[in-house]
Amino acid sequence: MSRSVLIAANWKLNPNTLKGSQELASGVSEGIKDKKSSKVEVAFCVPAIYLQAIESIIAKSPIKLGGQNLYFEEKGAFTGEISAPMLTDIGAKYVVLGHSERRTLFAETDELISKKAQVSLKHNLIPIVCVGETLEQREKNETDSVIISQLNKSLKSVETNGDNLVIAYEPVWAIGTGKTCSSEEANRVCGLIRQGLAKLYSKEIAEKVLILYGGSVKSNTIKEQMQQSEIDGALVGGASLIVDEFVQLVLNAG
Ligand code: PEP
């Protein structure tokens, strides 16, 4: 089956001015206009405070908007949080959930991520659910069991038709470190994730889910990564903050 390709930019806590975020979004939008393959979809997952400004810049382009997190309650007394209906209302298509930075720095559990994924789907937001092992777990040969456990628990009670779910395999040791997982190994783990999805749902559904690789993806790594049968795109941190680099990465992905 030929799946589409998704290149999702995860801006994290950057840039630190509105002007900087607008320049980044318009620079990338201009750079890929009329050049990127129609098979490749690009999404900007931006800090909540910039969602509206970025939405107005990309409104007339094919670039999609995404959040980086949400709270599982839909409204109420939860100071500082943003909800799924807020993200949908502002025009987001995606939301990143369970990024390793949220798991480690903000103590997010698989159980919490599952609640967030459920509310996302209820509001027509496509969750990009992140899973990945630490270096210690990899060295102890625990990669496969960690990935399957995170997948099963984060997707508990999450219903999907396959078109409305994205999984990102992000080995923690490769995020922001310049160390990429070899394409063959990334492909192997993405294949393991697809097998896990087939057990949770069905083979048909698993074949539809986009599985991204994330971890120091650059314009000069993406071609080889995209040649792998189980890798359907990338979740990109650092390289998504540099206009020329991200434009080149998107063009090389197609
Ligand atoms: C990420 O933030 O999800 C990520 C993969 O970051 P980087 O590309 O910088 O490693």
Side-chain angles (χ1 to χ4, degrees):
M1 159 185 267
S2 138
R3 288 174 290 271
S4 58
V5 171
L6 172 64
I7 304 291
N10 176 16
W11 289 3
K12 312 192 189 195
L13 193 58
N14 302 291
N16 59 11
T17 63
L18 173 62
K19 190 162 173 278
S21 76
Q22 290 168 319
E23 285 171 358
L24 177 56
S26 50
V28 172
S29 179
E30 277 304 308
I32 62 176
K33 196 170 159 191
D34 305 326
K35 289 199 204 128
K36 88 168 171 57
S37 153
S38 56
K39 205 183 155 199
V40 178
E41 183 172 271
V42 175
F44 293 155
C45 301
V46 311
I49 198 164
Y50 298 147
L51 281 163
Q52 190 164 15
I54 302 307
E55 166 58 16
S56 60
I57 289 174
I58 60 177
K60 292 201 177 90
S61 83
I63 300 173
K64 306 296 182 203
L65 190 68
Q68 297 180 2
N69 184 29
L70 52 69
Y71 193 55
F72 64 83
E73 294 288 357
E74 293 166 87
K75 61 178 182 173
F78 305 102
T79 304
E81 296 297 323
I82 63 166
S83 70
M86 288 174 187
L87 279 172
T88 309
D89 183 58
I90 212 106
K93 176 174 178 183
Y94 296 100
V95 61
V96 178
L97 295 181
H99 190 279
S100 66
E101 288 149 17
R102 296 218 56 91
R103 289 177 185 265
T104 51
L105 303 172
F106 302 95
E108 290 203 2
T109 61
D110 291 317
E111 289 68 26
L112 182 67
I113 294 157
S114 148
K115 286 188 189 172
K116 291 182 177 197
Q118 290 174 59
V119 77
S120 302
L121 288 164
K122 183 172 168 198
H123 292 278
N124 296 320
L125 270 174
I126 300 180
I128 301 176
V129 176
C130 303
V131 294
E133 80 288 358
T134 63
L135 186 58
E136 198 187 350
Q137 290 164 334
R138 175 159 282 269
E139 283 171 348
K140 284 198 211 149
N141 277 328
E142 291 171 359
T143 300
D144 295 13
S145 58
V146 167
I147 298 299
I148 290 299
S149 164
Q150 287 180 346
L151 193 73
N152 288 344
K153 291 184 191 158
S154 302
L155 295 180
K156 189 162 180 239
S157 310
V158 174
E159 284 176 26
T160 177
N161 57 21
D163 292 323
N164 56 5
L165 176 68
V166 177
I167 305 292
Y169 168 53
E170 297 211 306
V172 179
W173 49 273
I175 299 179
T177 58
K179 291 183 192 157
T180 22
C181 185
S182 75
S183 300
E184 293 72 23
E185 175 59 5
N187 192 53
R188 187 192 70 80
V189 180
C190 290
L192 180 81
I193 291 171
R194 205 173 300 285
Q195 285 167 21
L197 291 169
K199 278 196 193 135
L200 277 174
Y201 301 104
S202 69
K203 196 163 184 305
E204 269 182 359
I205 288 179
E207 284 298 321
K208 288 195 207 166
V209 174
L210 295 186
I211 303 180
L212 314 184
Y213 167 73
S216 298
V217 175
K218 304 275 183 282
S219 62
N220 62 5
T221 66
I222 189 76
K223 266 193 190 152
E224 189 184 291
Q225 286 152 342
M226 291 311 306
Q227 280 162 5
Q228 308 300 316
S229 58
E230 299 295 345
I231 301 180
D232 305 316
L235 183 58
V236 185
S240 73
L241 299 172
I242 307 161
V243 172
D244 292 348
E245 168 64 7
F246 192 62
V247 166
Q248 199 53 54
L249 193 159
V250 170
L251 301 185
N252 288 353

